Amino acid sequence: MDWMLEDLATGIPQTRHVVVLSSDGLCMAQWGTDTDTADRLAAACAGLQSLSAAIAAEFPDGDGRMKLVVVEVGGGFFYLMAAGAGAYLAVLADDDVDAGLVGQLMRDLVARIGEHLTSPPRADRQVP
């Protein structure tokens, strides 16, 4: 999956990090970052997607699921997109990035490989 993440990142020159994570905050794939940074981002994303789902539940006509979160901070943008059952795609980019292009390329990537970006819930192991 790394080459697909690289395609996304190189298609947007201001991209710093790309991470695919499970809904419980485990890094499944990464590009442009070290393991520690990817793990921190994945853990933070899990909290953000949970908060987003709580907000989505307040829309009575919606399905209660988070689709896309964009956070602007000093120095750049953070994007988090649902990317399959129990999986999310996160991108950090510089503040001069084309926000529309980021969203479009993230949607394109999810559409192409969304079924591969899944993280089924973990089952508790029962010991007999």
Side-chain angles (χ1 to χ4, degrees), residues 28-99:
M28 297 166 50
Q30 66 196 51
W31 183 90
T33 187
D34 60 83
T35 302
D36 289 340
T37 301
D39 288 343
R40 280 194 313 275
L41 289 172
C45 290
L48 187 55
Q49 71 83 18
S50 179
L51 176 62
S52 299
I55 292 168
E58 296 301 317
F59 291 90
D61 297 334
D63 60 10
R65 295 181 306 144
M66 184 277 292
K67 295 179 182 178
L68 174 67
V69 173
V70 179
V71 178
E72 181 179 6
V73 297
F77 290 90
F78 168 76
Y79 301 84
L80 179 63
M81 180 178 284
Y88 297 87
L89 175 62
V91 174
L92 267 72
D94 293 336
D95 58 0
D96 59 344
V97 72
D98 181 339

Side-chain angles (χ1 to χ4, degrees), residues 1 12 37 65 76 82 89 91 100-101 104 108 110 115 122 127:
M1 186 180 311
I12 309 165
T37 301
R65 295 181 306 144
L89 175 62
V91 174
L101 181 60
Q104 178 184 0
D108 291 349
V110 167
E115 66 273 3
R122 292 183 205 151
V127 178

